[in-house]
Amino acid sequence: MSGEERFIAAVKPLVDAMGGAMLPPDEAGPEDIVLAWEGVAAVAVRLPQLADSLDHILAAMERREGRPLSELDRRAKQEVVRILEARGAFAVRHGVETVASALGVSRFTVYNYLNREKGA
């Protein structure tokens, strides 16, 4: 495996975790990020839209928990909300609604979790 191939393989888990896509550098659009290895364009990264990122983050959290987020207990749901707030999930339009749906709670409950965190 060449150095460039190792570089691409090393970057892939990060791109996957963000919900991005990797493509050849010559297919990069103006919003894509071209990564270079030893001065040569190696791969382009297309970042997801913010709303898609939230869905991707929620799916990754479910995989990490090994079950749907709606099946978590209250304390675990509060922790999920804390993590999502730290990652900017609630800056996304309809973020509270999306998270509430994934957690199986009301928007009011999510706001309560957020307010509890701010008051702590």
Side-chain angles (χ1 to χ4, degrees):
M1 186 182 289
S2 72
E4 182 178 316
E5 291 169 330
R6 286 194 308 273
F7 171 73
I8 292 169
V11 172
K12 186 173 183 350
L14 175 62
V15 174
D16 290 346
M18 293 183 316
M22 297 173 71
L23 50 143
D26 60 342
E27 294 179 20
E31 300 297 318
D32 298 329
I33 301 166
V34 177
L35 302 177
W37 177 254
E38 296 183 349
V40 178
V43 65
V45 176
R46 181 162 293 154
L47 298 175
Q49 298 299 312
L50 283 177
D52 295 335
S53 291
L54 180 53
D55 290 337
H56 188 80
I57 291 167
L58 289 167
M61 292 181 96
E62 281 192 346
R63 283 192 304 276
R64 188 183 74 205
E65 293 293 331
R67 59 186 166 157
L69 297 177
S70 60
E71 294 178 4
L72 299 175
D73 64 24
R74 181 177 55 83
R75 187 177 303 263
K77 288 178 181 182
Q78 289 171 335
E79 178 65 12
V80 166
V81 168
R82 187 193 65 72
I83 291 167
L84 291 171
E85 181 178 30
R87 294 184 73 180
F90 301 109
V92 175
R93 186 171 183 200
H94 303 296
V96 171
E97 292 85 351
T98 301
V99 171
S101 177
L103 293 175
V105 299
S106 69
R107 289 180 5 212
F108 180 75
T109 298
V110 171
Y111 284 118
N112 278 339
Y113 292 168
L114 288 167
N115 288 334
R116 165 169 284 180
E117 220 15 72
K118 287 182 173 88

